[in-house]
């Protein structure tokens, strides 16, 4: 599914941190673990009790993530399409 189609249905606030066109990005999988990311995955970098998923953004990108979703202020790189949200769990 095209990222633009997914974003059109999102009902929470988010900010796009990318110059890429969401109409050109295909999402085939969703991952919460950067080790499970493959080409065309959306990686949710969520904070947990033991680890902060933002630590694994570089690994997710290296593994082929085409989109990274993270909490506001956690994204420091723009190597793929990036979304940040006050509440990424709502996305």
């Amino acid at each position: 599914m095209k990222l633009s189609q997914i974003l059109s249905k999102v009902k929470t606030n988010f900010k796009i941190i990318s110059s890429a066109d969401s109409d050109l990005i295909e999402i085939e999988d969703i991952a919460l673990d950067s080790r499970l990311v493959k080409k065309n995955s959306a990686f949710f970098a969520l904070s947990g009790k033991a680890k902060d998923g933002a630590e694994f953004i570089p690994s997710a990108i290296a593994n082929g993530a085409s989109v990274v979703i993270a909490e506001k202020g956690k994204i420091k790189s723009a190597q793929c399409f990036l979304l940040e949200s006050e509440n990424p769990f709502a996305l």
Side-chain angles (χ1 to χ4, degrees), residues 59-70:
S59 174
I61 292 170
N63 288 340
S66 54
V67 178
V68 171
I69 299 95

Side-chain angles (χ1 to χ4, degrees), residues 16-22 24-25 78 80-82:
I16 296 172
I17 306 176
S18 177
S19 60
D21 183 353
S22 63
L24 302 177
I25 298 172
C80 68
F81 197 93
L82 304 165

Side-chain angles (χ1 to χ4, degrees), residues 1-16 22 27 30 42 44 67-70 81-91:
M1 177 178 265
K2 297 287 184 198
L3 178 60
S4 58
Q5 294 173 298
I6 296 168
L7 295 178
S8 72
K9 301 195 183 318
V10 172
K11 299 196 185 320
T12 189
N13 292 333
F14 62 89
K15 179 180 177 185
I16 296 172
S22 63
I27 301 298
I30 295 172
F44 280 77
V67 178
V68 171
I69 299 95
F81 197 93
L82 304 165
L83 297 172
E84 72 175 12
S85 173
E86 298 274 340
N87 183 7
F89 289 99
L91 294 171

Side-chain angles (χ1 to χ4, degrees), residues 72-83:
K72 186 176 180 180
K74 299 275 184 161
I75 297 174
K76 302 190 181 4
S77 152
Q79 298 171 351
C80 68
F81 197 93
L82 304 165
L83 297 172

